[in-house]
Amino acid sequence: MNTPDTYEPPEDFELLLSFVREKLIVNEKQSLRRGLSPIIPEIKLYCAVRWLAGGSYTDIAIHCNISVTSFYRVVWESVDAINSAPDLIISFPQTP
């Protein structure tokens, strides 16, 4: 998944994925009813991370073999999952 223009250590990606995987899993049976293969959590998170790092949405969508509509859906689904992950909550110091 790493290419020369978007290097990210695999262990960092896997750690982030471990925090959000459950929120990114879809019901495979429901996806197949529409005749579509579900987009796996790894691809969803990859799209979000690469786009947030400045990647072109068209390049990422083509690379992942998904439509532009699906691209934006999975990006915001991933962002929501990251924002709601309890292990990723930022707590600022309290002053007395």
Side-chain angles (χ1 to χ4, degrees):
M1 203 177 277
N2 290 326
T3 59
D5 59 330
T6 60
Y7 181 75
E8 180 176 328
E11 59 274 2
D12 292 345
F13 183 84
E14 291 298 326
L15 179 62
L16 180 58
L17 183 61
S18 72
F19 294 139
V20 299
R21 177 184 292 278
E22 290 302 313
K23 294 212 181 255
L24 297 179
I25 293 175
V26 297
N27 184 327
E28 187 171 346
K29 191 174 184 178
Q30 290 293 342
S31 290
L32 294 174
R33 285 178 65 187
R34 294 182 306 188
L36 303 171
S37 297
I39 301 172
I40 61 174
E42 290 84 349
I43 295 296
K44 292 179 179 185
L45 187 59
Y46 171 79
C47 288
V49 169
R50 187 158 171 208
W51 183 70
L52 290 169
S56 164
Y57 72 92
T58 53
D59 290 342
I60 301 166
I62 290 169
H63 178 77
C64 295
N65 196 30
I66 60 176
S67 69
V68 172
T69 303
S70 292
F71 167 80
Y72 280 111
R73 180 178 48 79
V74 301
V75 163
W76 292 113
E77 185 180 338
S78 299
V79 168
D80 289 342
I82 291 168
N83 286 337
S84 66
D87 293 329
L88 300 176
I89 293 176
I90 298 172
S91 57
F92 295 99
Q94 300 292 323
T95 56

